[in-house]
Amino acid sequence: MLESALRASGGMDLWRLTRRFTLHASITGALCSAKCDSAPLKELAVEGNTHNQVIDFTGFVSADLRALYRPDSVALEAPDGQRLAWRSATPEEFRAGLKSATWDQLQLAYYCGYLIWNHLATPFILADPDFETKELPRTRKRGESLRRLRVVFPARVVTHATVQTFYFDREGLLRRLDYPAAHADSTQIAQMFSGHQRFSGILVPTLCRLLTIRADGVPIAKPPLLDVEIFDATFG
């Protein structure tokens, strides 16, 4: 199943040739507004490294603010490079901080940083040798048969949760991702993916909606926790 997903997304050979990506995106929804009293992230210019967890946001919260995400640090900068705020911590400490009732802008930038990086790097990172993968029985969602892959992430990767379940359709496209929420205890999240488009040969789901999952496993459609939309992207 993973081999099918890798082929559908452009193949490992092409992915290994890439080093960076740029994209324009928006991140909006109840989670950001409830956790952090800031403007919606509607016009983000994003630059990142495909093989290391490095993300720079331009237009973060306001047009003249940059956010720099790294696994062990996050910063806010003015357009001239002046550092306005900075925080250093272990990934475990950052994730623990996300459970607080409210976030400051640095916490919001950290969450959005690893959210976007994982979005762009999947499914390619799942092929790394230190990932544990196991195919689960198929399931039917909305009348469609989906293949499921249980993945255990290595500690080196900052992500939503150590154990996650990926759902792929018959063409190998990622349709859903389930995991326990980082921002709240006893909450399960389903990321729903659609709008797949190819950029520089790499297939990317341009629409992603984060929903809370009910106890019976059904996602709650409204209100969405987050909507992520990618308008365009380039890999090189």
Side-chain angles (χ1 to χ4, degrees):
M1 175 173 52
L2 181 55
E3 291 178 358
S4 173
L6 293 170
R7 287 195 301 271
S9 295
M12 285 302 299
D13 288 343
L14 178 59
W15 180 253
R16 292 189 183 104
L17 292 175
T18 69
R19 291 294 178 267
R20 298 195 60 80
F21 62 82
T22 60
L23 58 91
H24 292 91
S26 70
I27 303 174
T28 59
L31 180 60
C32 286
S33 58
K35 285 280 194 177
C36 187
D37 184 18
S38 62
L41 310 176
K42 289 186 175 181
E43 297 183 7
L44 292 172
V46 185
E47 300 180 49
N49 187 300
T50 54
H51 301 286
N52 297 297
Q53 291 191 277
V54 173
I55 293 278
D56 295 347
F57 297 99
T58 300
F60 189 82
V61 178
S62 63
D64 59 350
L65 191 64
R66 284 169 46 86
L68 284 62
Y69 160 82
R70 309 293 184 266
D72 59 356
S73 68
V74 63
L76 300 177
E77 291 185 349
D80 61 2
Q82 178 186 359
R83 182 157 291 183
L84 305 175
W86 176 80
R87 183 172 299 145
S88 176
T90 66
E92 292 75 16
E93 290 170 331
F94 273 120
R95 284 179 56 82
L98 295 180
K99 294 186 183 297
S100 61
T102 59
W103 293 348
D104 59 25
Q105 292 181 351
L106 289 172
Q107 288 171 302
L108 179 62
Y110 193 87
Y111 175 82
C112 291
Y114 79 74
L115 172 74
I116 290 294
W117 191 88
N118 279 268
H119 185 127
L120 270 291
T122 301
F124 301 105
I125 55 170
L126 307 184
D128 287 352
D130 53 353
F131 281 71
E132 298 178 27
T133 60
K134 179 182 179 181
E135 189 164 355
L136 303 176
R138 290 175 181 261
T139 186
R140 295 193 68 84
K141 302 293 184 183
R142 299 179 180 178
E144 183 179 17
S145 178
L146 298 177
R147 303 173 73 179
R148 294 187 296 162
L149 189 68
R150 180 183 182 270
V151 177
V152 180
F153 280 70
R156 66 177 176 84
V157 178
V158 179
T159 185
H160 313 287
T162 301
V163 180
Q164 304 177 37
T165 302
F166 294 77
Y167 297 72
F168 297 92
D169 64 18
R170 66 182 64 185
E171 297 177 349
L173 304 187
L174 179 62
R175 291 299 183 182
R176 175 172 166 172
L177 170 59
D178 291 359
Y179 54 86
H183 66 275
D185 292 325
S186 304
T187 299
Q188 296 291 317
I189 298 296
Q191 286 187 221
M192 314 299 292
F193 297 94
S194 60
H196 294 72
Q197 295 184 39
R198 204 169 294 279
F199 302 100
S200 308
I202 302 295
L203 193 69
V204 175
T206 61
L207 300 175
C208 174
R209 173 161 285 187
L210 275 68
L211 305 175
T212 302
I213 302 175
R214 297 188 325 211
D216 60 2
V218 177
I220 301 173
K222 295 180 180 180
L225 291 176
L226 279 184
D227 279 312
V228 179
E229 184 173 1
I230 295 174
F231 306 113
D232 58 71
T234 303
F235 294 85

